[in-house]
Amino acid sequence: MDILYFAWVRERIGLPKERVTTKAATVAELVTELRAREDRYAAAFADLSALRVAVDQELTDFDASLEGAREVAFFPPMTGG
Amino acid sequence: MDILYFAWVRERIGLPKERVTTKAATVAELVTELRAREDRYAAAFADLSALRVAVDQELTDFDASLEGAREVAFFPPMTGG
Amino acid sequence: MRIVVQEEPFDLGAEAEAFAASRSDMGAIVTFTGVVRDLSGKDLEVMEIEHYPGMTEKAVEKIASEAAQRWSLGDVLVIHRYGRLVPGDRIMMVATAAPHRRDAFEAADFLMDYLKSRAPFWKKEHTAATAGWVAAKDEDEDALSRW
Amino acid sequence: MRIVVQEEPFDLGAEAEAFAASRSDMGAIVTFTGVVRDLSGKDLEVMEIEHYPGMTEKAVEKIASEAAQRWSLGDVLVIHRYGRLVPGDRIMMVATAAPHRRDAFEAADFLMDYLKSRAPFWKKEHTAATAGWVAAKDEDEDALSRW
């Protein structure tokens, strides 16, 4: 599964994209795995209310299932327009 | 005093502008004078709710004073834009 | 603030570009353009627009000044044509520039509502067979109470 | 419906003109243009706009389709840039064409509210001394509840 990071999440973790192998069933479980990896991940995922998540390029929430997911992206609230 | 007519008021009365000498103190008094002139005036001024009036190029109402007025215009509700 | 009342066509693209270029310190620019169309479905050939020279310019300036007082605006443009137009012709445009988008949107919306009912223009529709003055709509008068 | 996500500048005048010309049967055309400006007053040098290629196009299309469902529209245009912009540069524009002006205004306003909070763009402000991500505003999220 590809994991993408944008804006300050990308900067804090230090990379825009990585491939992970996971058995996480939901986004929340994936976040728990990522947090446990290294301090920079723990820091990036410290406050989920400051984060948004997209699964296969569709905005969703942290309860979302990862079944069949190929791409998960984490980023701060969007500031388009 | 110049009196101007626009849109169907102009068409009904049959002229765009005329100069009148009047002692009318208000627009309403002027309308009474005009109505008494000829049928085409009576027809144009039959229903005041269908008309608007401007005195010296400022939209106003039929109670408005004509003191010092140089130009009075009668027309239907506007349809700009 | 620029107010133009003219018979000639205007160039929407050039006007929008020039308006936006004049104030690069404004974050939001809204334009509205009105186009002649056959609303009645009776084969409109000509839309004749009559106006009240002298009063028109004053009335439009008053409306634009009112908008500039109510909202934080950097600039306002109003162009309104008169004369004989055909379907597809652009009748008029307004443009607003503001630091914030809500001001730009609301001011443009306000300008349109007021130009519709408070600027001395009258429209007459000509088809091959008939000609008739467009009646003001109650909803256009009611729209003013939004502000 | 046309959606453009690009790094290059766009030509506001040409886009507005082409959009209006494509649908002469629409009575009302609204455009909104967003311009980079120094909101913070700290001498903005560069506004860097990051986006999520692939998702951006989908998200914008979804927003535009939603607008087309809610309002009676003849056409919708959305152009949004990414990359490094400087104050005065135009970031994005939307245009709506509709038979009636209220639809054109509301749809453009709706598009802006949703592009602001639901399209995957992020802004970073660079001054000579600092760089920082622009925080989303509560009021931008709250604006969605208007629709």
Side-chain angles (χ1 to χ4, degrees), chain D residues 63-124:
Chain D
I63 294 165
S65 298
E66 174 80 16
Q69 280 192 323
R70 288 187 181 219
W71 288 277
S72 173
L73 299 177
D75 203 1
V76 175
L77 166 69
V78 179
I79 302 175
H80 205 303
R81 295 180 64 191
Y82 58 88
R84 295 172 70 85
L85 282 71
V86 299
D89 280 355
R90 291 153 197 173
I91 305 178
M92 52 85 62
M93 74 176 284
V94 304
T96 55
H100 299 286
R101 74 183 193 286
R102 186 121 326 279
D103 292 287
F105 266 119
E106 289 189 2
D109 201 0
F110 169 92
L111 287 168
M112 286 310 304
D113 276 353
Y114 273 81
L115 289 170
K116 203 96 190 162
S117 305
R118 291 292 180 271
F121 291 97
W122 301 274
K123 294 195 181 102
K124 189 174 189 176

Side-chain angles (χ1 to χ4, degrees), chain C residues 67-116:
Chain C
Q69 281 193 324
R70 289 189 180 217
W71 289 278
S72 173
L73 299 177
D75 204 0
V76 175
L77 166 68
V78 178
I79 302 175
H80 204 304
R81 294 180 65 191
Y82 58 87
R84 294 172 72 85
L85 282 70
V86 299
D89 280 355
R90 291 155 196 171
I91 306 178
M92 51 84 63
M93 74 176 283
V94 303
T96 53
H100 301 286
R101 75 182 190 287
R102 186 121 325 280
D103 292 288
F105 267 119
E106 289 190 0
D109 201 359
F110 169 93
L111 286 168
M112 285 310 304
D113 277 353
Y114 272 81
L115 288 170
K116 204 96 190 163

Side-chain angles (χ1 to χ4, degrees), chain C residues 6-127:
Chain C
Q6 66 181 23
E7 189 159 6
E8 299 71 41
F10 59 90
D11 183 332
L12 165 61
E15 293 291 349
E17 180 59 39
F19 183 80
S22 71
R23 292 299 301 260
S24 64
D25 57 334
M26 293 290 117
I29 293 155
V30 168
T31 71
F32 176 92
T33 308
V35 181
V36 178
R37 57 186 283 271
D38 188 1
L39 276 167
S40 56
K42 49 188 182 194
D43 297 322
L44 180 67
E45 291 188 351
V46 170
M47 176 76 86
E48 184 187 348
I49 301 175
E50 182 170 334
H51 81 120
Y52 183 170
M55 178 172 166
T56 308
E57 293 77 1
K58 283 186 204 171
V60 176
E61 270 171 36
K62 193 174 162 188
I63 294 166
S65 298
E66 174 80 17
Q69 281 193 324
R70 289 189 180 217
W71 289 278
S72 173
L73 299 177
D75 204 0
V76 175
L77 166 68
V78 178
I79 302 175
H80 204 304
R81 294 180 65 191
Y82 58 87
R84 294 172 72 85
L85 282 70
V86 299
D89 280 355
R90 291 155 196 171
I91 306 178
M92 51 84 63
M93 74 176 283
V94 303
T96 53
H100 301 286
R101 75 182 190 287
R102 186 121 325 280
D103 292 288
F105 267 119
E106 289 190 0
D109 201 359
F110 169 93
L111 286 168
M112 285 310 304
D113 277 353
Y114 272 81
L115 288 170
K116 204 96 190 163
S117 305
R118 290 292 182 271
F121 291 98
W122 301 274
K123 295 194 181 100
K124 188 174 190 177
E125 292 176 329
H126 297 262
T127 68

Side-chain angles (χ1 to χ4, degrees), chain D residues 2 27-29 33 36 43-44 47 87 103 112 119 123 130 132 136 146-147:
Chain D
R2 189 166 146 249
I29 293 155
T33 307
V36 178
D43 296 322
L44 180 68
M47 176 75 87
D103 292 287
M112 286 310 304
K123 294 195 181 102
T130 64
R146 297 196 295 143
W147 306 106

Side-chain angles (χ1 to χ4, degrees), chain A residues 4-8 10-11 52 54 56-59 71-73 75-81, chain D residues 50-55 58 62 80 92 115-124 133-134 136:
Chain A
L4 284 72
Y5 308 108
F6 292 96
W8 62 254
R10 170 178 58 69
E11 289 176 340
R52 300 291 179 269
D56 289 335
Q57 306 189 348
E58 284 272 354
L59 203 62
E71 184 173 307
V72 178
F75 42 78
M78 295 160 271
T79 53
Chain D
E50 183 170 333
H51 81 121
Y52 182 171
M55 177 171 167
K58 284 185 204 172
K62 193 174 162 188
H80 205 303
M92 52 85 62
L115 289 170
K116 203 96 190 162
S117 305
R118 291 292 180 271
F121 291 97
W122 301 274
K123 294 195 181 102
K124 189 174 189 176
W133 293 95
V134 174

